[in-house]
Amino acid sequence: MMHAHRFSIAEALRFGWRTTRNNLGYFLGIGILYLIVTLGLNGAVYKLNAHSEGWAFLAGIVALVGSMIMDVGLAVISLRFADGRRARVADLFIHYPLAPAYFIATLIATLMVIVGLALLVVPGVFLLVLFQFYAYPIVDEGEGAVSALRRSAVITRGDRWRLFLFFLLTVLINIGGALCILVGLFVSVPVTLISRAYVFRQLQAAGSRVDQMKASSV
């Protein structure tokens, strides 16, 4: 019964919208910077591919590493705003030591989801819901790749149908942002990222309360 109301979808999305609206300049800057770096790295891969496949391959690795570092940074930024704190532009890049664990976790989760989608789709969707929070244990609790995936799976217990609805709504919001000549993504992406971080904090807090109750009853 306790798990039925551990978080509110509406409140999470409202929180994400309010935070984005109140820090719109910051998120526009971060979005533009992310886009410039991503387009620059991938543009270099495309140009080098016309001259040397070897150099293009190396540039592709650099582009992948850069993307992983910035994705880790976005996870850190979204958690800080979920905690009511401010983030810096530098946070997009300076948390690179966490990128290897994030990359391995992303690779494992992606492979599992692909296999799940191949098995009548439903298992893949289930795994998407299970693993949607794996970045946060890595950046917040220093977890390794496998333990972060396990932590995400554990924290979703009892709320998976509501988390599926939440996940679906965030996808639809970003589709709506993309339909607004892509410009809407500069708003929809931070809204959904912060909303997801907010939900993680709610689930994390609820799990801590349950653990405390179990410890006190022993």
Side-chain angles (χ1 to χ4, degrees), residues 13-187:
L13 293 174
R14 281 195 297 267
F15 181 86
W17 164 245
R18 287 196 306 267
T19 304
T20 301
R21 181 191 62 198
N22 294 338
N23 300 275
L24 190 57
Y26 174 84
F27 288 114
L28 286 175
I30 286 291
I32 291 170
L33 185 57
Y34 186 100
L35 193 62
I36 289 172
V37 173
T38 301
L39 291 178
L41 290 174
N42 285 286
V45 174
Y46 178 78
K47 287 186 177 181
L48 286 170
N49 194 50
H51 303 286
S52 170
E53 291 185 359
W55 282 110
F57 176 75
L58 291 175
I61 292 176
V62 172
L64 177 62
V65 170
S67 177
M68 290 290 113
I69 290 172
M70 289 190 295
D71 286 346
V72 167
L74 290 177
V76 172
I77 289 167
S78 60
L79 270 182
R80 287 193 174 168
F81 278 102
D83 292 336
R85 297 184 292 157
R86 297 297 298 271
R88 300 166 296 168
V89 173
D91 284 319
L92 191 62
F93 304 105
I94 63 175
H95 302 284
Y96 57 87
L98 301 172
Y102 179 81
F103 171 74
I104 295 170
T106 300
L107 182 62
I108 294 171
T110 301
L111 290 174
M112 292 179 69
V113 168
I114 289 173
V115 172
L117 290 173
L119 299 173
L120 302 177
V121 178
V122 174
V125 175
F126 176 74
L127 290 171
L128 275 172
V129 173
L130 236 63
F131 296 143
Q132 64 178 307
F133 299 111
Y134 71 83
Y136 301 127
I138 292 173
V139 304
D140 186 52
E141 302 167 0
E143 297 281 2
V146 175
S147 57
L149 291 167
R150 187 181 299 115
R151 175 79 170 129
S152 180
V154 168
I155 208 170
T156 61
R157 286 176 183 167
D159 286 293
R160 285 168 184 165
W161 278 110
R162 297 177 74 239
L163 286 167
F164 168 70
L165 178 58
F166 172 71
F167 176 80
L168 184 61
L169 285 172
T170 59
V171 170
L172 291 175
I173 289 169
N174 283 316
I175 289 175
L179 291 175
C180 296
I181 324 176
L182 297 180
V183 177
L185 288 172
F186 286 100
V187 175

Side-chain angles (χ1 to χ4, degrees), residues 187-218:
V187 175
S188 67
V189 169
V191 167
T192 53
L193 283 176
I194 294 167
S195 297
R196 185 175 293 116
Y198 177 89
V199 170
F200 171 76
R201 283 300 193 214
Q202 298 299 302
L203 297 176
Q204 187 184 48
S208 297
R209 288 194 295 270
V210 171
D211 290 341
Q212 290 173 3
M213 290 176 63
K214 289 181 178 178
S216 63
S217 63
V218 174

